[in-house]
Amino acid sequence: MMAPTSRKQEDSKATPKGKANAAHGLRDLFEVGLKDIYYAEQILSLNLPKMMKNASTPELVKTLKNHLTETNEHVSRLEKIFEVTGIKPSAKKCDAMEGILKESDALISKTDVGVVRNAIIIASEQKAKHYEIATYGTLHAFAKTLGETKAANLLAISLEQEKKADTALTGIAITSINPKAFKADSIINPRL
């Protein structure tokens, strides 16, 4: 027969002990998230010129240039958020963005310059955008809950820019790149 346990003992068994560097509250989650997106924006700003170099339509190149400008603005805005919240600015490796960019590089290197490569670039950019939208949306909600009004307002600006950039990429994909890539499929595989 097992010895009876107290409620305190049951609670301690149900709640795993956290690591020393883990987030222990909403403020910690907010800080970890800021450092993660700070890294993501920095690494993205280094990779966008490669995407521009591989894009073959002026419209896509222009969209990527705009994204690079906005990405650099986001980095500056994040530095302002660190300042207004009193959080030390530092970047925490973002495995998600690194994975998106690694996958993008691999796919780009396996395709010829042209519409299929452009479709890959758009898809990669949209994966990055969706990650950024999710992160900025979450951080915005955290900031509001934490009473960090200035940070929330700054995060809302980046969030809206990311949503607009995603919409622009969708527009280019639907009206131009994807139909041309599909046409290329039809030539290669007439059964389509």
Side-chain angles (χ1 to χ4, degrees):
M1 186 167 152
M2 291 179 55
T5 58
S6 70
R7 180 79 175 136
K8 188 175 181 179
Q9 287 173 324
E10 287 176 11
D11 287 345
S12 68
K13 288 178 185 175
T15 306
K17 299 289 183 207
K19 294 182 179 180
N21 61 353
H24 297 288
L26 191 62
R27 179 75 180 186
D28 289 345
L29 286 174
F30 180 65
E31 183 174 334
V32 168
L34 283 175
K35 291 177 178 184
D36 176 86
I37 196 69
Y38 189 50
Y39 180 95
E41 294 284 17
Q42 289 174 336
I43 194 168
L44 191 56
S45 71
L46 297 174
N47 279 271
L48 280 165
K50 288 191 274 185
M51 289 184 188
M52 283 185 274
K53 183 178 171 184
N54 281 287
S56 62
T57 66
E59 184 180 25
L60 181 53
V61 171
K62 180 182 176 191
T63 300
L64 293 170
K65 281 182 182 176
N66 290 341
H67 184 201
L68 179 58
T69 300
E70 286 182 355
T71 298
N72 290 330
E73 290 173 11
H74 296 171
V75 169
S76 295
R77 193 171 295 123
L78 285 163
E79 289 167 352
K80 179 69 175 165
I81 292 167
F82 283 121
E83 182 183 316
V84 300
T85 58
I87 297 170
K88 181 183 176 196
S90 66
K92 176 191 166 291
K93 183 178 176 187
C94 178
D95 292 328
M97 188 62 74
E98 284 209 352
I100 290 168
L101 295 173
K102 182 178 178 182
E103 177 185 67
S104 174
D105 287 344
L107 290 170
I108 287 170
S109 71
K110 294 176 186 174
T111 58
D112 294 327
V113 172
V115 292
V116 175
R117 184 178 281 181
N118 289 339
I120 290 168
I121 291 168
I122 290 172
S124 298
E125 267 291 276
Q126 288 196 286
K127 286 179 183 182
K129 289 279 154 234
H130 292 189
Y131 179 78
E132 291 170 310
I133 290 167
T135 302
Y136 281 118
T138 299
L139 290 172
H140 178 256
F142 287 171
K144 285 176 70 173
T145 301
L146 292 166
E148 293 284 1
T149 306
K150 288 179 183 177
N153 292 338
L154 293 167
L155 289 161
I157 295 167
S158 293
L159 177 60
E160 286 309 308
Q161 285 179 327
E162 297 294 3
K163 289 177 180 180
K164 285 179 184 175
D166 180 53
T167 300
L169 288 164
T170 297
I172 294 169
I174 290 172
T175 62
S176 177
I177 302 301
N178 292 354
K180 289 176 184 173
F182 179 67
K183 189 174 182 180
D185 283 343
S186 300
I187 293 167
I188 294 168
N189 187 356
R191 294 188 293 172
L192 291 177

